[in-house]
Each structure stands twice: as C-alpha cells, then as structure tokens.
Tab-separated table of all heavy atoms in Angstrom:
chain	number	residue	atom	x	y	z
A	955	ILE	N	54.216	-22.561	138.035
A	955	ILE	CA	54.480	-21.167	137.648
A	955	ILE	C	55.792	-21.079	136.889
A	955	ILE	O	55.873	-20.419	135.845
A	955	ILE	CB	54.484	-20.253	138.896
A	955	ILE	CG1	53.070	-20.137	139.467
A	955	ILE	CG2	55.052	-18.870	138.560
A	955	ILE	CD1	53.001	-19.512	140.845
A	956	LEU	N	56.819	-21.750	137.398
A	956	LEU	CA	58.116	-21.735	136.717
A	956	LEU	C	58.040	-22.437	135.365
A	956	LEU	O	58.644	-21.984	134.394
A	956	LEU	CB	59.184	-22.386	137.595
A	956	LEU	CG	59.567	-21.593	138.835
A	956	LEU	CD1	60.473	-22.417	139.736
A	956	LEU	CD2	60.239	-20.287	138.452
A	957	PHE	N	57.284	-23.533	135.294
A	957	PHE	CA	57.133	-24.233	134.015
A	957	PHE	C	56.506	-23.303	132.973
A	957	PHE	O	56.928	-23.285	131.819
A	957	PHE	CB	56.261	-25.481	134.175
A	957	PHE	CG	56.895	-26.595	134.972
A	957	PHE	CD1	56.103	-27.561	135.564
A	957	PHE	CD2	58.271	-26.690	135.129
A	957	PHE	CE1	56.663	-28.599	136.287
A	957	PHE	CE2	58.855	-27.726	135.859
A	957	PHE	CZ	58.039	-28.674	136.441
A	958	ARG	N	55.505	-22.545	133.390
A	958	ARG	CA	54.876	-21.598	132.461
A	958	ARG	C	55.836	-20.473	132.089
A	958	ARG	O	55.896	-20.047	130.933
A	958	ARG	CB	53.604	-21.023	133.078
A	958	ARG	CG	52.408	-21.897	132.815
A	958	ARG	CD	51.107	-21.229	133.222
A	958	ARG	NE	50.497	-22.102	134.232
A	958	ARG	CZ	50.248	-21.776	135.477
A	958	ARG	NH1	50.493	-20.572	135.913
A	958	ARG	NH2	49.720	-22.643	136.306
A	959	GLN	N	56.586	-19.993	133.069
A	959	GLN	CA	57.537	-18.901	132.828
A	959	GLN	C	58.567	-19.289	131.761
A	959	GLN	O	58.916	-18.480	130.916
A	959	GLN	CB	58.262	-18.554	134.128
A	959	GLN	CG	59.325	-17.485	133.982
A	959	GLN	CD	60.076	-17.247	135.288
A	959	GLN	OE1	59.601	-17.584	136.368
A	959	GLN	NE2	61.248	-16.673	135.179
A	960	TYR	N	59.031	-20.538	131.812
A	960	TYR	CA	60.037	-21.001	130.854
A	960	TYR	C	59.435	-21.705	129.638
A	960	TYR	O	60.161	-22.226	128.797
A	960	TYR	CB	61.046	-21.917	131.552
A	960	TYR	CG	61.894	-21.187	132.563
A	960	TYR	CD1	61.826	-21.485	133.915
A	960	TYR	CD2	62.757	-20.174	132.164
A	960	TYR	CE1	62.604	-20.813	134.845
A	960	TYR	CE2	63.537	-19.490	133.086
A	960	TYR	CZ	63.451	-19.820	134.418
A	960	TYR	OH	64.223	-19.141	135.328
A	961	HIS	N	58.111	-21.749	129.552
A	961	HIS	CA	57.403	-22.349	128.407
A	961	HIS	C	57.818	-23.805	128.176
A	961	HIS	O	58.124	-24.201	127.054
A	961	HIS	CB	57.626	-21.527	127.132
A	961	HIS	CG	57.327	-20.082	127.292
A	961	HIS	ND1	56.051	-19.597	127.424
A	961	HIS	CD2	58.152	-18.996	127.401
A	961	HIS	CE1	56.092	-18.282	127.574
A	961	HIS	NE2	57.351	-17.896	127.572
A	962	LEU	N	57.812	-24.590	129.250
A	962	LEU	CA	58.205	-25.988	129.139
A	962	LEU	C	57.019	-26.842	128.689
A	962	LEU	O	55.897	-26.631	129.131
A	962	LEU	CB	58.722	-26.514	130.482
A	962	LEU	CG	59.925	-25.788	131.084
A	962	LEU	CD1	60.410	-26.536	132.325
A	962	LEU	CD2	61.048	-25.618	130.089
A	963	ASN	N	57.310	-27.802	127.807
A	963	ASN	CA	56.263	-28.719	127.377
A	963	ASN	C	56.140	-29.868	128.383
A	963	ASN	O	56.892	-29.951	129.358
A	963	ASN	CB	56.509	-29.222	125.948
A	963	ASN	CG	57.776	-30.052	125.831
A	963	ASN	OD1	58.147	-30.798	126.734
A	963	ASN	ND2	58.454	-29.928	124.707
A	964	LYS	N	55.208	-30.763	128.146
A	964	LYS	CA	54.912	-31.843	129.090
A	964	LYS	C	56.139	-32.701	129.378
A	964	LYS	O	56.445	-33.005	130.531
A	964	LYS	CB	53.780	-32.717	128.542
A	964	LYS	CG	53.389	-33.836	129.462
A	964	LYS	CD	52.288	-34.693	128.858
A	964	LYS	CE	52.009	-35.878	129.767
A	964	LYS	NZ	51.052	-36.800	129.176
A	965	ARG	N	56.866	-33.096	128.353
A	965	ARG	CA	58.038	-33.956	128.526
A	965	ARG	C	59.140	-33.234	129.296
A	965	ARG	O	59.782	-33.807	130.173
A	965	ARG	CB	58.552	-34.431	127.164
A	965	ARG	CG	59.720	-35.383	127.261
A	965	ARG	CD	59.352	-36.664	127.974
A	965	ARG	NE	58.771	-37.583	127.031
A	965	ARG	CZ	58.312	-38.784	127.347
A	965	ARG	NH1	58.355	-39.209	128.586
A	965	ARG	NH2	57.787	-39.558	126.449
A	966	GLU	N	59.345	-31.962	128.991
A	966	GLU	CA	60.358	-31.179	129.707
A	966	GLU	C	60.006	-31.051	131.188
A	966	GLU	O	60.883	-31.134	132.048
A	966	GLU	CB	60.510	-29.802	129.062
A	966	GLU	CG	61.110	-29.858	127.667
A	966	GLU	CD	60.932	-28.585	126.867
A	966	GLU	OE1	60.066	-27.759	127.213
A	966	GLU	OE2	61.659	-28.417	125.882
A	967	LYS	N	58.724	-30.895	131.478
A	967	LYS	CA	58.271	-30.830	132.872
A	967	LYS	C	58.578	-32.142	133.594
A	967	LYS	O	59.056	-32.138	134.730
A	967	LYS	CB	56.766	-30.559	132.953
A	967	LYS	CG	56.353	-29.195	132.498
A	967	LYS	CD	54.829	-29.105	132.534
A	967	LYS	CE	54.320	-27.857	131.866
A	967	LYS	NZ	52.848	-27.788	131.876
A	968	GLU	N	58.296	-33.257	132.934
A	968	GLU	CA	58.566	-34.566	133.524
A	968	GLU	C	60.053	-34.723	133.832
A	968	GLU	O	60.422	-35.208	134.910
A	968	GLU	CB	58.123	-35.690	132.580
A	968	GLU	CG	56.638	-35.802	132.381
A	968	GLU	CD	56.255	-36.774	131.278
A	968	GLU	OE1	57.040	-36.971	130.326
A	968	GLU	OE2	55.153	-37.328	131.377
A	969	ILE	N	60.879	-34.287	132.901
A	969	ILE	CA	62.323	-34.409	133.083
A	969	ILE	C	62.797	-33.536	134.239
A	969	ILE	O	63.595	-33.972	135.074
A	969	ILE	CB	63.071	-34.095	131.767
A	969	ILE	CG1	62.813	-35.234	130.764
A	969	ILE	CG2	64.562	-33.897	132.013
A	969	ILE	CD1	63.320	-34.993	129.374
A	970	VAL	N	62.300	-32.317	134.324
A	970	VAL	CA	62.695	-31.424	135.424
A	970	VAL	C	62.277	-32.026	136.763
A	970	VAL	O	63.059	-32.021	137.719
A	970	VAL	CB	62.108	-30.007	135.245
A	970	VAL	CG1	62.275	-29.183	136.513
A	970	VAL	CG2	62.775	-29.303	134.074
A	971	LYS	N	61.080	-32.563	136.849
A	971	LYS	CA	60.619	-33.181	138.101
A	971	LYS	C	61.524	-34.344	138.500
A	971	LYS	O	61.869	-34.505	139.673
A	971	LYS	CB	59.169	-33.647	137.977
A	971	LYS	CG	58.177	-32.509	137.979
A	971	LYS	CD	56.759	-33.012	137.810
A	971	LYS	CE	55.768	-31.865	137.747
A	971	LYS	NZ	54.387	-32.327	137.537
A	972	LEU	N	61.920	-35.154	137.522
A	972	LEU	CA	62.818	-36.272	137.811
A	972	LEU	C	64.209	-35.778	138.208
A	972	LEU	O	64.861	-36.357	139.078
A	972	LEU	CB	62.886	-37.225	136.620
A	972	LEU	CG	61.602	-38.029	136.370
A	972	LEU	CD1	61.653	-38.727	135.021
A	972	LEU	CD2	61.368	-39.023	137.492
A	973	LEU	N	64.661	-34.707	137.578
A	973	LEU	CA	65.945	-34.091	137.958
A	973	LEU	C	65.901	-33.614	139.400
A	973	LEU	O	66.831	-33.846	140.179
A	973	LEU	CB	66.244	-32.885	137.064
A	973	LEU	CG	67.021	-33.085	135.797
A	973	LEU	CD1	67.125	-31.777	135.039
A	973	LEU	CD2	68.380	-33.653	136.067
A	974	LEU	N	64.821	-32.941	139.759
A	974	LEU	CA	64.683	-32.417	141.113
A	974	LEU	C	64.618	-33.534	142.150
A	974	LEU	O	64.970	-33.330	143.311
A	974	LEU	CB	63.438	-31.528	141.222
A	974	LEU	CG	63.510	-30.207	140.460
A	974	LEU	CD1	62.169	-29.494	140.496
A	974	LEU	CD2	64.614	-29.316	141.006
A	975	ALA	N	64.198	-34.716	141.725
A	975	ALA	CA	64.158	-35.871	142.620
A	975	ALA	C	65.518	-36.557	142.719
A	975	ALA	O	65.671	-37.533	143.445
A	975	ALA	CB	63.101	-36.861	142.144
A	976	GLY	N	66.510	-36.046	141.968
A	976	GLY	CA	67.869	-36.576	142.055
A	976	GLY	C	68.195	-37.718	141.120
A	976	GLY	O	69.185	-38.417	141.305
A	977	ASN	N	67.387	-37.909	140.093
A	977	ASN	CA	67.611	-39.005	139.148
A	977	ASN	C	68.744	-38.717	138.176
A	977	ASN	O	68.936	-37.578	137.746
A	977	ASN	CB	66.337	-39.294	138.357
A	977	ASN	CG	65.265	-39.920	139.210
A	977	ASN	OD1	65.353	-41.084	139.549
A	977	ASN	ND2	64.269	-39.142	139.576
A	978	SER	N	69.452	-39.765	137.802
A	978	SER	CA	70.500	-39.672	136.786
A	978	SER	C	69.865	-39.676	135.399
A	978	SER	O	68.670	-39.968	135.252
A	978	SER	CB	71.443	-40.869	136.900
A	978	SER	OG	70.742	-42.059	136.562
A	979	ASN	N	70.681	-39.384	134.374
A	979	ASN	CA	70.167	-39.441	133.001
A	979	ASN	C	69.626	-40.832	132.680
A	979	ASN	O	68.589	-40.975	132.049
A	979	ASN	CB	71.257	-39.062	131.995
A	979	ASN	CG	71.521	-37.579	131.949
A	979	ASN	OD1	70.838	-36.789	132.596
A	979	ASN	ND2	72.524	-37.180	131.197
A	980	LYS	N	70.344	-41.870	133.130
A	980	LYS	CA	69.903	-43.243	132.854
A	980	LYS	C	68.571	-43.531	133.542
A	980	LYS	O	67.676	-44.128	132.933
A	980	LYS	CB	70.957	-44.248	133.301
A	980	LYS	CG	70.525	-45.679	133.048
A	980	LYS	CD	71.649	-46.647	133.060
A	980	LYS	CE	71.261	-48.078	132.822
A	980	LYS	NZ	70.005	-48.381	132.226
A	981	ALA	N	68.427	-43.104	134.785
A	981	ALA	CA	67.174	-43.333	135.506
A	981	ALA	C	66.020	-42.591	134.839
A	981	ALA	O	64.906	-43.119	134.737
A	981	ALA	CB	67.313	-42.900	136.961
A	982	ILE	N	66.291	-41.367	134.377
A	982	ILE	CA	65.265	-40.589	133.669
A	982	ILE	C	64.879	-41.306	132.377
A	982	ILE	O	63.697	-41.471	132.069
A	982	ILE	CB	65.748	-39.154	133.387
A	982	ILE	CG1	65.904	-38.388	134.706
A	982	ILE	CG2	64.787	-38.425	132.442
A	982	ILE	CD1	66.610	-37.046	134.569
A	983	ALA	N	65.890	-41.748	131.636
A	983	ALA	CA	65.634	-42.459	130.379
A	983	ALA	C	64.802	-43.713	130.623
A	983	ALA	O	63.838	-43.975	129.901
A	983	ALA	CB	66.963	-42.814	129.707
A	984	ASP	N	65.160	-44.473	131.643
A	984	ASP	CA	64.427	-45.707	131.947
A	984	ASP	C	62.978	-45.427	132.344
A	984	ASP	O	62.064	-46.097	131.874
A	984	ASP	CB	65.130	-46.489	133.062
A	984	ASP	CG	66.449	-47.093	132.609
A	984	ASP	OD1	66.692	-47.171	131.386
A	984	ASP	OD2	67.251	-47.473	133.494
A	985	SER	N	62.778	-44.434	133.193
A	985	SER	CA	61.411	-44.189	133.673
A	985	SER	C	60.512	-43.575	132.603
A	985	SER	O	59.303	-43.764	132.637
A	985	SER	CB	61.416	-43.326	134.931
A	985	SER	OG	61.876	-42.044	134.650
A	986	LEU	N	61.102	-42.854	131.640
A	986	LEU	CA	60.294	-42.238	130.577
A	986	LEU	C	60.358	-43.019	129.262
A	986	LEU	O	59.811	-42.573	128.251
A	986	LEU	CB	60.750	-40.792	130.347
A	986	LEU	CG	60.581	-39.849	131.536
A	986	LEU	CD1	61.124	-38.462	131.192
A	986	LEU	CD2	59.127	-39.753	131.959
A	987	HIS	N	61.042	-44.161	129.287
A	987	HIS	CA	61.193	-45.008	128.100
A	987	HIS	C	61.832	-44.243	126.939
A	987	HIS	O	61.346	-44.265	125.804
A	987	HIS	CB	59.846	-45.619	127.685
A	987	HIS	CG	59.156	-46.317	128.802
A	987	HIS	ND1	59.622	-47.496	129.356
A	987	HIS	CD2	58.057	-45.988	129.522
A	987	HIS	CE1	58.835	-47.860	130.342
A	987	HIS	NE2	57.874	-46.963	130.475
A	988	LEU	N	62.935	-43.551	127.260
A	988	LEU	CA	63.702	-42.804	126.269
A	988	LEU	C	65.121	-43.353	126.229
A	988	LEU	O	65.531	-44.086	127.126
A	988	LEU	CB	63.773	-41.315	126.658
A	988	LEU	CG	62.460	-40.555	126.819
A	988	LEU	CD1	62.718	-39.184	127.421
A	988	LEU	CD2	61.764	-40.424	125.483
A	989	THR	N	65.876	-42.967	125.204
A	989	THR	CA	67.295	-43.311	125.190
A	989	THR	C	68.060	-42.262	125.998
A	989	THR	O	67.576	-41.142	126.199
A	989	THR	CB	67.863	-43.344	123.759
A	989	THR	OG1	67.858	-42.018	123.229
A	989	THR	CG2	67.065	-44.288	122.857
A	990	ILE	N	69.251	-42.634	126.427
A	990	ILE	CA	70.078	-41.687	127.178
A	990	ILE	C	70.407	-40.479	126.305
A	990	ILE	O	70.414	-39.339	126.788
A	990	ILE	CB	71.355	-42.370	127.708
A	990	ILE	CG1	70.977	-43.383	128.785
A	990	ILE	CG2	72.338	-41.346	128.260
A	990	ILE	CD1	72.129	-44.168	129.358
A	991	ASN	N	70.654	-40.710	125.017
A	991	ASN	CA	70.954	-39.595	124.123
A	991	ASN	C	69.777	-38.630	124.000
A	991	ASN	O	69.967	-37.416	123.883
A	991	ASN	CB	71.381	-40.097	122.742
A	991	ASN	CG	72.773	-40.677	122.761
A	991	ASN	OD1	73.598	-40.302	123.604
A	991	ASN	ND2	73.039	-41.603	121.861
A	992	THR	N	68.558	-39.150	124.032
A	992	THR	CA	67.378	-38.289	123.990
A	992	THR	C	67.304	-37.440	125.257
A	992	THR	O	67.009	-36.246	125.199
A	992	THR	CB	66.091	-39.122	123.816
A	992	THR	OG1	66.198	-39.881	122.610
A	992	THR	CG2	64.860	-38.237	123.757
A	993	VAL	N	67.594	-38.043	126.397
A	993	VAL	CA	67.593	-37.299	127.660
A	993	VAL	C	68.669	-36.211	127.624
A	993	VAL	O	68.425	-35.073	128.027
A	993	VAL	CB	67.794	-38.242	128.873
A	993	VAL	CG1	67.975	-37.446	130.155
A	993	VAL	CG2	66.628	-39.204	128.993
A	994	LYS	N	69.840	-36.538	127.100
A	994	LYS	CA	70.914	-35.543	126.990
A	994	LYS	C	70.492	-34.389	126.080
A	994	LYS	O	70.779	-33.228	126.364
A	994	LYS	CB	72.193	-36.188	126.455
A	994	LYS	CG	72.874	-37.082	127.454
A	994	LYS	CD	74.129	-37.709	126.845
A	994	LYS	CE	74.791	-38.656	127.813
A	994	LYS	NZ	75.991	-39.276	127.230
A	995	ALA	N	69.781	-34.715	125.013
A	995	ALA	CA	69.292	-33.669	124.100
A	995	ALA	C	68.291	-32.768	124.819
A	995	ALA	O	68.311	-31.539	124.656
A	995	ALA	CB	68.664	-34.297	122.860
A	996	TYR	N	67.413	-33.376	125.622
A	996	TYR	CA	66.471	-32.583	126.418
A	996	TYR	C	67.203	-31.694	127.411
A	996	TYR	O	66.792	-30.559	127.649
A	996	TYR	CB	65.471	-33.481	127.158
A	996	TYR	CG	64.228	-33.803	126.364
A	996	TYR	CD1	63.984	-35.080	125.903
A	996	TYR	CD2	63.291	-32.818	126.074
A	996	TYR	CE1	62.843	-35.380	125.179
A	996	TYR	CE2	62.149	-33.097	125.352
A	996	TYR	CZ	61.930	-34.379	124.908
A	996	TYR	OH	60.792	-34.657	124.183
A	997	MET	N	68.278	-32.189	127.991
A	997	MET	CA	69.059	-31.383	128.948
A	997	MET	C	69.624	-30.141	128.256
A	997	MET	O	69.586	-29.034	128.806
A	997	MET	CB	70.205	-32.192	129.556
A	997	MET	CG	69.783	-33.311	130.447
A	997	MET	SD	68.882	-32.742	131.885
A	997	MET	CE	68.393	-34.302	132.540
A	998	LYS	N	70.146	-30.317	127.053
A	998	LYS	CA	70.671	-29.178	126.292
A	998	LYS	C	69.561	-28.193	125.969
A	998	LYS	O	69.728	-26.979	126.096
A	998	LYS	CB	71.338	-29.661	125.003
A	998	LYS	CG	72.666	-30.329	125.217
A	998	LYS	CD	73.275	-30.775	123.895
A	998	LYS	CE	74.541	-31.548	124.149
A	998	LYS	NZ	75.147	-32.047	122.905
C-alpha cells in the first residue's frame, strides 16, 4: 500500500525492503548488483 502511495518502481521497492532489513548501501549494492553510487542516487 505504501509502495503504491509513493509510486515506487520495482527497484525502489527492492531497495526499501533491503533498507528495512538494516542493510548498508554497500550490502544493497552487492545484493542488487549495483554500484554504491547508484544506490546513493536511489536514496536521493
């Protein structure tokens, strides 16, 4: 419901779920095969 409310796309949803699990930017980047800078851009 919250994902729909904020109009989050699939990748943003994945990142939020990983954030809620307590993952760092590096852990998020590693698990989604992204660079840390890409994760930081998603955070912004």
Side-chain angles (χ1 to χ4, degrees):
I955 291 168
L956 290 172
F957 291 158
R958 273 189 240 118
Q959 177 184 340
Y960 293 116
H961 308 289
L962 301 187
N963 64 35
K964 181 181 175 185
R965 183 63 85 182
E966 292 164 342
K967 292 176 190 179
E968 292 171 332
I969 290 172
V970 168
K971 287 178 183 178
L972 290 168
L973 270 177
L974 291 173
N977 290 286
S978 66
N979 284 355
K980 179 162 180 19
I982 293 170
D984 290 344
S985 66
L986 297 178
H987 308 291
L988 301 171
T989 67
I990 292 178
N991 286 334
T992 302
V993 172
K994 288 179 183 179
Y996 271 111
M997 293 298 173
K998 287 180 185 178

